[in-house]
PDB file of all heavy atoms in Angstrom:
ATOM      1  N   PRO A 540       1.382 -13.820  21.217  1.00 91.00           N
ATOM      2  CA  PRO A 540       2.184 -15.011  21.623  1.00 91.00           C
ATOM      3  C   PRO A 540       2.489 -15.042  23.094  1.00 91.00           C
ATOM      4  O   PRO A 540       2.898 -16.101  23.644  1.00 91.00           O
ATOM      5  CB  PRO A 540       3.526 -14.779  20.817  1.00 91.00           C
ATOM      6  CG  PRO A 540       3.127 -13.811  19.694  1.00 91.00           C
ATOM      7  CD  PRO A 540       2.112 -12.913  20.281  1.00 91.00           C
ATOM      8  N   GLY A 541       2.272 -13.912  23.817  1.00 84.00           N
ATOM      9  CA  GLY A 541       2.542 -13.882  25.291  1.00 84.00           C
ATOM     10  C   GLY A 541       4.005 -13.856  25.614  1.00 84.00           C
ATOM     11  O   GLY A 541       4.428 -14.347  26.662  1.00 84.00           O
ATOM     12  N   THR A 542       4.841 -13.322  24.716  1.00 62.00           N
ATOM     13  CA  THR A 542       6.295 -13.261  24.874  1.00 62.00           C
ATOM     14  C   THR A 542       6.794 -11.953  25.375  1.00 62.00           C
ATOM     15  O   THR A 542       8.009 -11.724  25.266  1.00 62.00           O
ATOM     16  CB  THR A 542       6.982 -13.764  23.628  1.00 62.00           C
ATOM     17  OG1 THR A 542       6.579 -12.924  22.535  1.00 62.00           O
ATOM     18  CG2 THR A 542       6.670 -15.210  23.249  1.00 62.00           C
ATOM     19  N   GLY A 543       5.976 -11.099  25.824  1.00 55.00           N
ATOM     20  CA  GLY A 543       6.422  -9.783  26.225  1.00 55.00           C
ATOM     21  C   GLY A 543       6.198  -8.739  25.172  1.00 55.00           C
ATOM     22  O   GLY A 543       5.540  -9.009  24.116  1.00 55.00           O
ATOM     23  N   THR A 544       6.686  -7.594  25.353  1.00 52.00           N
ATOM     24  CA  THR A 544       6.393  -6.428  24.474  1.00 52.00           C
ATOM     25  C   THR A 544       7.533  -5.980  23.585  1.00 52.00           C
ATOM     26  O   THR A 544       7.350  -5.081  22.830  1.00 52.00           O
ATOM     27  CB  THR A 544       5.919  -5.264  25.320  1.00 52.00           C
ATOM     28  OG1 THR A 544       6.948  -4.834  26.241  1.00 52.00           O
ATOM     29  CG2 THR A 544       4.640  -5.573  26.124  1.00 52.00           C
ATOM     30  N   GLN A 545       8.701  -6.520  23.826  1.00 54.00           N
ATOM     31  CA  GLN A 545       9.891  -6.066  23.077  1.00 54.00           C
ATOM     32  C   GLN A 545       9.704  -6.026  21.609  1.00 54.00           C
ATOM     33  O   GLN A 545      10.123  -5.125  20.871  1.00 54.00           O
ATOM     34  CB  GLN A 545      11.171  -6.961  23.433  1.00 54.00           C
ATOM     35  CG  GLN A 545      12.466  -6.447  22.818  1.00 54.00           C
ATOM     36  CD  GLN A 545      12.933  -5.195  23.432  1.00 54.00           C
ATOM     37  OE1 GLN A 545      12.558  -4.773  24.493  1.00 54.00           O
ATOM     38  NE2 GLN A 545      13.835  -4.518  22.738  1.00 54.00           N
ATOM     39  N   ASP A 546       8.999  -7.053  21.047  1.00 66.00           N
ATOM     40  CA  ASP A 546       8.902  -7.227  19.617  1.00 66.00           C
ATOM     41  C   ASP A 546       7.924  -6.234  19.014  1.00 66.00           C
ATOM     42  O   ASP A 546       7.763  -6.094  17.850  1.00 66.00           O
ATOM     43  CB  ASP A 546       8.460  -8.609  19.223  1.00 66.00           C
ATOM     44  CG  ASP A 546       8.369  -8.880  17.762  1.00 66.00           C
ATOM     45  OD1 ASP A 546       9.428  -8.608  17.015  1.00 66.00           O
ATOM     46  OD2 ASP A 546       7.293  -9.262  17.283  1.00 66.00           O
ATOM     47  N   THR A 547       7.158  -5.545  19.862  1.00 64.00           N
ATOM     48  CA  THR A 547       6.112  -4.639  19.348  1.00 64.00           C
ATOM     49  C   THR A 547       6.649  -3.284  18.981  1.00 64.00           C
ATOM     50  O   THR A 547       5.922  -2.444  18.359  1.00 64.00           O
ATOM     51  CB  THR A 547       4.988  -4.431  20.382  1.00 64.00           C
ATOM     52  OG1 THR A 547       5.529  -3.729  21.543  1.00 64.00           O
ATOM     53  CG2 THR A 547       4.380  -5.751  20.767  1.00 64.00           C
ATOM     54  N   GLN A 548       7.903  -2.931  19.401  1.00 60.00           N
ATOM     55  CA  GLN A 548       8.425  -1.638  19.163  1.00 60.00           C
ATOM     56  C   GLN A 548       9.437  -1.653  18.021  1.00 60.00           C
ATOM     57  O   GLN A 548      10.078  -2.701  17.741  1.00 60.00           O
ATOM     58  CB  GLN A 548       9.130  -1.085  20.419  1.00 60.00           C
ATOM     59  CG  GLN A 548       8.224  -1.018  21.652  1.00 60.00           C
ATOM     60  CD  GLN A 548       6.976  -0.260  21.365  1.00 60.00           C
ATOM     61  OE1 GLN A 548       5.910  -0.765  21.373  1.00 60.00           O
ATOM     62  NE2 GLN A 548       7.083   1.033  21.158  1.00 60.00           N
ATOM     63  N   THR A 549       9.506  -0.467  17.365  1.00 58.00           N
ATOM     64  CA  THR A 549      10.509  -0.303  16.281  1.00 58.00           C
ATOM     65  C   THR A 549      11.315   0.928  16.620  1.00 58.00           C
ATOM     66  O   THR A 549      10.846   2.074  16.475  1.00 58.00           O
ATOM     67  CB  THR A 549       9.898  -0.267  14.900  1.00 58.00           C
ATOM     68  OG1 THR A 549      10.837   0.031  13.942  1.00 58.00           O
ATOM     69  CG2 THR A 549       8.721   0.772  14.748  1.00 58.00           C
ATOM     70  N   TYR A 550      12.530   0.770  17.010  1.00 51.00           N
ATOM     71  CA  TYR A 550      13.317   1.854  17.517  1.00 51.00           C
ATOM     72  C   TYR A 550      14.162   2.640  16.487  1.00 51.00           C
ATOM     73  O   TYR A 550      14.636   3.661  16.732  1.00 51.00           O
ATOM     74  CB  TYR A 550      14.268   1.312  18.619  1.00 51.00           C
ATOM     75  CG  TYR A 550      13.582   0.686  19.809  1.00 51.00           C
ATOM     76  CD1 TYR A 550      13.643  -0.736  19.913  1.00 51.00           C
ATOM     77  CD2 TYR A 550      12.908   1.458  20.687  1.00 51.00           C
ATOM     78  CE1 TYR A 550      12.908  -1.282  20.992  1.00 51.00           C
ATOM     79  CE2 TYR A 550      12.121   0.830  21.761  1.00 51.00           C
ATOM     80  CZ  TYR A 550      12.274  -0.548  21.931  1.00 51.00           C
ATOM     81  OH  TYR A 550      11.555  -1.139  23.003  1.00 51.00           O
ATOM     82  N   GLY A 551      14.289   2.030  15.345  1.00 56.00           N
ATOM     83  CA  GLY A 551      15.219   2.550  14.348  1.00 56.00           C
ATOM     84  C   GLY A 551      14.738   3.693  13.522  1.00 56.00           C
ATOM     85  O   GLY A 551      15.439   4.526  13.053  1.00 56.00           O
ATOM     86  N   LYS A 552      13.395   3.699  13.257  1.00 56.00           N
ATOM     87  CA  LYS A 552      12.829   4.722  12.370  1.00 56.00           C
ATOM     88  C   LYS A 552      11.315   4.877  12.634  1.00 56.00           C
ATOM     89  O   LYS A 552      10.756   4.051  13.354  1.00 56.00           O
ATOM     90  CB  LYS A 552      13.028   4.329  10.905  1.00 56.00           C
ATOM     91  CG  LYS A 552      12.381   3.025  10.535  1.00 56.00           C
ATOM     92  CD  LYS A 552      12.644   2.692   9.080  1.00 56.00           C
ATOM     93  CE  LYS A 552      11.947   1.377   8.705  1.00 56.00           C
ATOM     94  NZ  LYS A 552      12.133   1.049   7.269  1.00 56.00           N
ATOM     95  N   ASP A 553      10.765   5.939  12.199  1.00 55.00           N
ATOM     96  CA  ASP A 553       9.371   6.186  12.304  1.00 55.00           C
ATOM     97  C   ASP A 553       8.585   5.979  11.035  1.00 55.00           C
ATOM     98  O   ASP A 553       7.343   6.210  10.983  1.00 55.00           O
ATOM     99  CB  ASP A 553       9.037   7.536  12.915  1.00 55.00           C
ATOM    100  CG  ASP A 553       9.357   8.702  11.967  1.00 55.00           C
ATOM    101  OD1 ASP A 553      10.131   8.455  11.048  1.00 55.00           O
ATOM    102  OD2 ASP A 553       8.740   9.762  12.178  1.00 55.00           O
ATOM    103  N   SER A 554       9.269   5.765   9.916  1.00 62.00           N
ATOM    104  CA  SER A 554       8.641   5.841   8.610  1.00 62.00           C
ATOM    105  C   SER A 554       7.922   4.454   8.307  1.00 62.00           C
ATOM    106  O   SER A 554       8.292   3.426   8.842  1.00 62.00           O
ATOM    107  CB  SER A 554       9.677   6.111   7.556  1.00 62.00           C
ATOM    108  OG  SER A 554      10.690   5.145   7.558  1.00 62.00           O
ATOM    109  N   TYR A 555       7.100   4.542   7.240  1.00 69.00           N
ATOM    110  CA  TYR A 555       6.452   3.332   6.721  1.00 69.00           C
ATOM    111  C   TYR A 555       7.251   2.798   5.645  1.00 69.00           C
ATOM    112  O   TYR A 555       8.054   3.371   5.005  1.00 69.00           O
ATOM    113  CB  TYR A 555       5.031   3.775   6.123  1.00 69.00           C
ATOM    114  CG  TYR A 555       3.995   4.016   7.048  1.00 69.00           C
ATOM    115  CD1 TYR A 555       3.781   5.256   7.678  1.00 69.00           C
ATOM    116  CD2 TYR A 555       3.086   2.993   7.383  1.00 69.00           C
ATOM    117  CE1 TYR A 555       2.756   5.465   8.578  1.00 69.00           C
ATOM    118  CE2 TYR A 555       2.007   3.172   8.303  1.00 69.00           C
ATOM    119  CZ  TYR A 555       1.863   4.448   8.861  1.00 69.00           C
ATOM    120  OH  TYR A 555       0.824   4.637   9.765  1.00 69.00           O
ATOM    121  N   GLU A 556       7.095   1.453   5.430  1.00 76.00           N
ATOM    122  CA  GLU A 556       7.699   0.737   4.326  1.00 76.00           C
ATOM    123  C   GLU A 556       6.710   0.878   3.120  1.00 76.00           C
ATOM    124  O   GLU A 556       5.571   0.435   3.206  1.00 76.00           O
ATOM    125  CB  GLU A 556       7.988  -0.675   4.665  1.00 76.00           C
ATOM    126  CG  GLU A 556       8.972  -0.830   5.818  1.00 76.00           C
ATOM    127  CD  GLU A 556       9.201  -2.295   6.178  1.00 76.00           C
ATOM    128  OE1 GLU A 556       8.648  -3.189   5.514  1.00 76.00           O
ATOM    129  OE2 GLU A 556       9.884  -2.557   7.174  1.00 76.00           O
ATOM    130  N   ARG A 557       7.181   1.437   2.063  1.00 78.00           N
ATOM    131  CA  ARG A 557       6.333   1.701   0.858  1.00 78.00           C
ATOM    132  C   ARG A 557       7.031   1.098  -0.346  1.00 78.00           C
ATOM    133  O   ARG A 557       7.691   1.875  -1.113  1.00 78.00           O
ATOM    134  CB  ARG A 557       6.070   3.176   0.750  1.00 78.00           C
ATOM    135  CG  ARG A 557       5.226   3.799   1.817  1.00 78.00           C
ATOM    136  CD  ARG A 557       4.953   5.271   1.591  1.00 78.00           C
ATOM    137  NE  ARG A 557       3.887   5.772   2.485  1.00 78.00           N
ATOM    138  CZ  ARG A 557       4.281   6.508   3.485  1.00 78.00           C
ATOM    139  NH1 ARG A 557       5.553   6.707   3.822  1.00 78.00           N
ATOM    140  NH2 ARG A 557       3.346   7.040   4.339  1.00 78.00           N
ATOM    141  N   ASP A 558       6.924  -0.126  -0.664  1.00 84.00           N
ATOM    142  CA  ASP A 558       7.484  -0.708  -1.796  1.00 84.00           C
ATOM    143  C   ASP A 558       6.651  -0.617  -2.999  1.00 84.00           C
ATOM    144  O   ASP A 558       7.095  -0.903  -4.165  1.00 84.00           O
ATOM    145  CB  ASP A 558       7.895  -2.157  -1.491  1.00 84.00           C
ATOM    146  CG  ASP A 558       8.972  -2.276  -0.374  1.00 84.00           C
ATOM    147  OD1 ASP A 558       9.763  -1.395  -0.309  1.00 84.00           O
ATOM    148  OD2 ASP A 558       8.888  -3.253   0.388  1.00 84.00           O
ATOM    149  N   TYR A 559       5.390  -0.320  -2.827  1.00 91.00           N
ATOM    150  CA  TYR A 559       4.397  -0.302  -3.879  1.00 91.00           C
ATOM    151  C   TYR A 559       3.701   1.091  -3.824  1.00 91.00           C
ATOM    152  O   TYR A 559       3.471   1.636  -2.786  1.00 91.00           O
ATOM    153  CB  TYR A 559       3.395  -1.389  -3.878  1.00 91.00           C
ATOM    154  CG  TYR A 559       3.876  -2.707  -4.431  1.00 91.00           C
ATOM    155  CD1 TYR A 559       4.835  -3.423  -3.705  1.00 91.00           C
ATOM    156  CD2 TYR A 559       3.584  -3.197  -5.638  1.00 91.00           C
ATOM    157  CE1 TYR A 559       5.386  -4.603  -4.196  1.00 91.00           C
ATOM    158  CE2 TYR A 559       4.103  -4.355  -6.164  1.00 91.00           C
ATOM    159  CZ  TYR A 559       4.964  -5.087  -5.430  1.00 91.00           C
ATOM    160  OH  TYR A 559       5.505  -6.233  -5.914  1.00 91.00           O
ATOM    161  N   GLN A 560       3.402   1.579  -5.032  1.00 91.00           N
ATOM    162  CA  GLN A 560       2.738   2.852  -5.169  1.00 91.00           C
ATOM    163  C   GLN A 560       1.310   2.688  -5.671  1.00 91.00           C
ATOM    164  O   GLN A 560       1.068   2.012  -6.651  1.00 91.00           O
ATOM    165  CB  GLN A 560       3.501   3.760  -6.160  1.00 91.00           C
ATOM    166  CG  GLN A 560       2.975   5.132  -6.371  1.00 91.00           C
ATOM    167  CD  GLN A 560       3.456   6.041  -5.272  1.00 91.00           C
ATOM    168  OE1 GLN A 560       4.637   6.025  -4.903  1.00 91.00           O
ATOM    169  NE2 GLN A 560       2.579   6.864  -4.732  1.00 91.00           N
ATOM    170  N   TYR A 561       0.363   3.273  -4.921  1.00 94.00           N
ATOM    171  CA  TYR A 561      -0.960   3.271  -5.471  1.00 94.00           C
ATOM    172  C   TYR A 561      -1.059   4.214  -6.612  1.00 94.00           C
ATOM    173  O   TYR A 561      -0.663   5.417  -6.493  1.00 94.00           O
ATOM    174  CB  TYR A 561      -1.989   3.802  -4.288  1.00 94.00           C
ATOM    175  CG  TYR A 561      -3.406   4.070  -4.712  1.00 94.00           C
ATOM    176  CD1 TYR A 561      -4.286   2.979  -4.891  1.00 94.00           C
ATOM    177  CD2 TYR A 561      -3.828   5.381  -4.921  1.00 94.00           C
ATOM    178  CE1 TYR A 561      -5.579   3.261  -5.319  1.00 94.00           C
ATOM    179  CE2 TYR A 561      -5.137   5.654  -5.346  1.00 94.00           C
ATOM    180  CZ  TYR A 561      -5.989   4.599  -5.488  1.00 94.00           C
ATOM    181  OH  TYR A 561      -7.248   4.844  -5.908  1.00 94.00           O
ATOM    182  N   ILE A 562      -1.625   3.734  -7.680  1.00 95.00           N
ATOM    183  CA  ILE A 562      -1.717   4.544  -8.900  1.00 95.00           C
ATOM    184  C   ILE A 562      -3.169   5.116  -9.025  1.00 95.00           C
ATOM    185  O   ILE A 562      -3.380   6.273  -9.349  1.00 95.00           O
ATOM    186  CB  ILE A 562      -1.333   3.766 -10.189  1.00 95.00           C
ATOM    187  CG1 ILE A 562       0.085   3.396 -10.079  1.00 95.00           C
ATOM    188  CG2 ILE A 562      -1.623   4.516 -11.415  1.00 95.00           C
ATOM    189  CD1 ILE A 562       1.051   4.586 -10.052  1.00 95.00           C
ATOM    190  N   GLY A 563      -4.207   4.252  -8.877  1.00 96.00           N
ATOM    191  CA  GLY A 563      -5.538   4.721  -9.020  1.00 96.00           C
ATOM    192  C   GLY A 563      -6.498   3.539  -9.038  1.00 96.00           C
ATOM    193  O   GLY A 563      -6.138   2.417  -8.858  1.00 96.00           O
ATOM    194  N   LYS A 564      -7.763   3.860  -9.284  1.00 97.00           N
ATOM    195  CA  LYS A 564      -8.796   2.843  -9.399  1.00 97.00           C
ATOM    196  C   LYS A 564      -9.359   2.844 -10.829  1.00 97.00           C
ATOM    197  O   LYS A 564      -9.364   3.767 -11.570  1.00 97.00           O
ATOM    198  CB  LYS A 564      -9.891   3.136  -8.465  1.00 97.00           C
ATOM    199  CG  LYS A 564     -10.528   4.482  -8.579  1.00 97.00           C
ATOM    200  CD  LYS A 564     -11.394   4.901  -7.395  1.00 97.00           C
ATOM    201  CE  LYS A 564     -12.011   6.314  -7.641  1.00 97.00           C
ATOM    202  NZ  LYS A 564     -12.727   6.740  -6.518  1.00 97.00           N
ATOM    203  N   ILE A 565      -9.777   1.617 -11.243  1.00 97.00           N
ATOM    204  CA  ILE A 565     -10.289   1.375 -12.546  1.00 97.00           C
ATOM    205  C   ILE A 565     -11.815   1.732 -12.467  1.00 97.00           C
ATOM    206  O   ILE A 565     -12.541   1.162 -11.733  1.00 97.00           O
ATOM    207  CB  ILE A 565     -10.177  -0.030 -12.968  1.00 97.00           C
ATOM    208  CG1 ILE A 565      -8.675  -0.436 -13.048  1.00 97.00           C
ATOM    209  CG2 ILE A 565     -10.805  -0.302 -14.331  1.00 97.00           C
ATOM    210  CD1 ILE A 565      -8.402  -1.897 -13.285  1.00 97.00           C
ATOM    211  N   ILE A 566     -12.190   2.788 -13.234  1.00 97.00           N
ATOM    212  CA  ILE A 566     -13.574   3.260 -13.184  1.00 97.00           C
ATOM    213  C   ILE A 566     -14.402   2.824 -14.351  1.00 97.00           C
ATOM    214  O   ILE A 566     -15.592   3.042 -14.410  1.00 97.00           O
ATOM    215  CB  ILE A 566     -13.586   4.783 -13.022  1.00 97.00           C
ATOM    216  CG1 ILE A 566     -12.838   5.471 -14.217  1.00 97.00           C
ATOM    217  CG2 ILE A 566     -13.002   5.163 -11.685  1.00 97.00           C
ATOM    218  CD1 ILE A 566     -12.982   6.997 -14.222  1.00 97.00           C
ATOM    219  N   ASP A 567     -13.711   2.294 -15.456  1.00 97.00           N
ATOM    220  CA  ASP A 567     -14.391   1.754 -16.577  1.00 97.00           C
ATOM    221  C   ASP A 567     -13.556   0.744 -17.263  1.00 97.00           C
ATOM    222  O   ASP A 567     -12.350   0.796 -17.136  1.00 97.00           O
ATOM    223  CB  ASP A 567     -14.792   2.909 -17.549  1.00 97.00           C
ATOM    224  CG  ASP A 567     -15.848   2.528 -18.566  1.00 97.00           C
ATOM    225  OD1 ASP A 567     -16.465   1.393 -18.344  1.00 97.00           O
ATOM    226  OD2 ASP A 567     -16.083   3.222 -19.552  1.00 97.00           O
ATOM    227  N   ARG A 568     -14.195  -0.205 -17.902  1.00 96.00           N
ATOM    228  CA  ARG A 568     -13.369  -1.294 -18.574  1.00 96.00           C
ATOM    229  C   ARG A 568     -14.231  -1.808 -19.731  1.00 96.00           C
ATOM    230  O   ARG A 568     -15.446  -1.928 -19.690  1.00 96.00           O
ATOM    231  CB  ARG A 568     -12.952  -2.364 -17.565  1.00 96.00           C
ATOM    232  CG  ARG A 568     -14.044  -3.392 -17.337  1.00 96.00           C
ATOM    233  CD  ARG A 568     -14.486  -3.345 -15.872  1.00 96.00           C
ATOM    234  NE  ARG A 568     -15.090  -4.670 -15.560  1.00 96.00           N
ATOM    235  CZ  ARG A 568     -16.400  -4.948 -15.774  1.00 96.00           C
ATOM    236  NH1 ARG A 568     -17.209  -4.034 -16.251  1.00 96.00           N
ATOM    237  NH2 ARG A 568     -16.873  -6.056 -15.484  1.00 96.00           N
ATOM    238  N   THR A 569     -13.455  -2.155 -20.805  1.00 95.00           N
ATOM    239  CA  THR A 569     -13.973  -2.905 -21.911  1.00 95.00           C
ATOM    240  C   THR A 569     -13.024  -4.102 -22.151  1.00 95.00           C
ATOM    241  O   THR A 569     -11.999  -4.236 -21.417  1.00 95.00           O
ATOM    242  CB  THR A 569     -14.086  -2.085 -23.168  1.00 95.00           C
ATOM    243  OG1 THR A 569     -12.749  -1.754 -23.619  1.00 95.00           O
ATOM    244  CG2 THR A 569     -14.845  -0.795 -22.883  1.00 95.00           C
ATOM    245  N   ASP A 570     -13.323  -4.874 -23.243  1.00 94.00           N
ATOM    246  CA  ASP A 570     -12.316  -5.966 -23.526  1.00 94.00           C
ATOM    247  C   ASP A 570     -11.096  -5.446 -24.273  1.00 94.00           C
ATOM    248  O   ASP A 570     -10.208  -6.258 -24.656  1.00 94.00           O
ATOM    249  CB  ASP A 570     -13.003  -7.114 -24.215  1.00 94.00           C
ATOM    250  CG  ASP A 570     -13.699  -6.585 -25.559  1.00 94.00           C
ATOM    251  OD1 ASP A 570     -13.576  -5.384 -25.868  1.00 94.00           O
ATOM    252  OD2 ASP A 570     -14.344  -7.420 -26.147  1.00 94.00           O
ATOM    253  N   THR A 571     -10.992  -4.157 -24.454  1.00 95.00           N
ATOM    254  CA  THR A 571      -9.816  -3.562 -25.187  1.00 95.00           C
ATOM    255  C   THR A 571      -9.119  -2.521 -24.377  1.00 95.00           C
ATOM    256  O   THR A 571      -7.920  -2.205 -24.695  1.00 95.00           O
ATOM    257  CB  THR A 571     -10.260  -2.932 -26.532  1.00 95.00           C
ATOM    258  OG1 THR A 571     -11.207  -1.889 -26.287  1.00 95.00           O
ATOM    259  CG2 THR A 571     -10.818  -3.981 -27.459  1.00 95.00           C
ATOM    260  N   ASP A 572      -9.691  -1.976 -23.354  1.00 95.00           N
ATOM    261  CA  ASP A 572      -8.947  -0.958 -22.537  1.00 95.00           C
ATOM    262  C   ASP A 572      -9.568  -0.764 -21.185  1.00 95.00           C
ATOM    263  O   ASP A 572     -10.701  -1.278 -20.915  1.00 95.00           O
ATOM    264  CB  ASP A 572      -8.821   0.357 -23.212  1.00 95.00           C
ATOM    265  CG  ASP A 572     -10.175   1.102 -23.390  1.00 95.00           C
ATOM    266  OD1 ASP A 572     -11.141   0.786 -22.715  1.00 95.00           O
ATOM    267  OD2 ASP A 572     -10.252   2.097 -24.166  1.00 95.00           O
ATOM    268  N   ILE A 573      -8.831  -0.117 -20.253  1.00 97.00           N
ATOM    269  CA  ILE A 573      -9.380   0.279 -18.974  1.00 97.00           C
ATOM    270  C   ILE A 573      -9.193   1.777 -18.789  1.00 97.00           C
ATOM    271  O   ILE A 573      -8.327   2.312 -19.383  1.00 97.00           O
ATOM    272  CB  ILE A 573      -8.648  -0.473 -17.829  1.00 97.00           C
ATOM    273  CG1 ILE A 573      -7.127  -0.267 -17.863  1.00 97.00           C
ATOM    274  CG2 ILE A 573      -8.984  -1.946 -17.862  1.00 97.00           C
ATOM    275  CD1 ILE A 573      -6.343  -0.807 -16.710  1.00 97.00           C
ATOM    276  N   THR A 574     -10.084   2.368 -18.047  1.00 97.00           N
ATOM    277  CA  THR A 574      -9.942   3.811 -17.639  1.00 97.00           C
ATOM    278  C   THR A 574      -9.644   3.894 -16.228  1.00 97.00           C
ATOM    279  O   THR A 574     -10.294   3.358 -15.332  1.00 97.00           O
ATOM    280  CB  THR A 574     -11.281   4.507 -17.904  1.00 97.00           C
ATOM    281  OG1 THR A 574     -11.667   4.370 -19.322  1.00 97.00           O
ATOM    282  CG2 THR A 574     -11.144   6.013 -17.682  1.00 97.00           C
ATOM    283  N   ILE A 575      -8.543   4.616 -15.918  1.00 97.00           N
ATOM    284  CA  ILE A 575      -7.990   4.774 -14.565  1.00 97.00           C
ATOM    285  C   ILE A 575      -8.296   6.251 -14.101  1.00 97.00           C
ATOM    286  O   ILE A 575      -7.986   7.217 -14.758  1.00 97.00           O
ATOM    287  CB  ILE A 575      -6.530   4.517 -14.540  1.00 97.00           C
ATOM    288  CG1 ILE A 575      -6.164   3.096 -14.894  1.00 97.00           C
ATOM    289  CG2 ILE A 575      -5.948   4.833 -13.131  1.00 97.00           C
ATOM    290  CD1 ILE A 575      -4.711   2.797 -14.884  1.00 97.00           C
ATOM    291  N   ASP A 576      -8.897   6.337 -12.912  1.00 96.00           N
ATOM    292  CA  ASP A 576      -8.969   7.582 -12.196  1.00 96.00           C
ATOM    293  C   ASP A 576      -7.628   7.711 -11.377  1.00 96.00           C
ATOM    294  O   ASP A 576      -7.449   7.056 -10.407  1.00 96.00           O
ATOM    295  CB  ASP A 576     -10.144   7.568 -11.238  1.00 96.00           C
ATOM    296  CG  ASP A 576     -10.368   8.974 -10.623  1.00 96.00           C
ATOM    297  OD1 ASP A 576      -9.649   9.890 -10.929  1.00 96.00           O
ATOM    298  OD2 ASP A 576     -11.253   9.073  -9.691  1.00 96.00           O
ATOM    299  N   CYS A 577      -6.734   8.488 -11.871  1.00 95.00           N
ATOM    300  CA  CYS A 577      -5.326   8.440 -11.477  1.00 95.00           C
ATOM    301  C   CYS A 577      -5.096   9.263 -10.216  1.00 95.00           C
ATOM    302  O   CYS A 577      -5.570  10.424 -10.057  1.00 95.00           O
ATOM    303  CB  CYS A 577      -4.462   9.042 -12.653  1.00 95.00           C
ATOM    304  SG  CYS A 577      -2.716   8.718 -12.411  1.00 95.00           S
TER     305      CYS A 577
END
């Protein structure tokens, strides 16, 4: 935006926001079930 650099910094914490958890990938599927590599 060309408005300076103030908005690029986060001074309050160093952690990531993680509201969702990766569970795994689907490695096989049929019309009745899925197989997850967990």
Side-chain angles (χ1 to χ4, degrees):
T542 55
T544 61
Q545 182 71 18
D546 183 56
T547 65
Q548 302 305 111
T549 175
Y550 301 107
K552 61 180 181 178
D553 70 336
S554 60
Y555 282 86
E556 296 178 7
R557 293 184 172 97
D558 295 329
Y559 280 73
Q560 183 81 44
Y561 170 79
I562 296 297
K564 57 192 177 186
I565 300 173
I566 58 173
D567 196 11
R568 81 245 200 274
T569 70
D570 55 5
T571 59
D572 69 15
I573 56 174
T574 303
I575 296 176
D576 186 6
C577 190

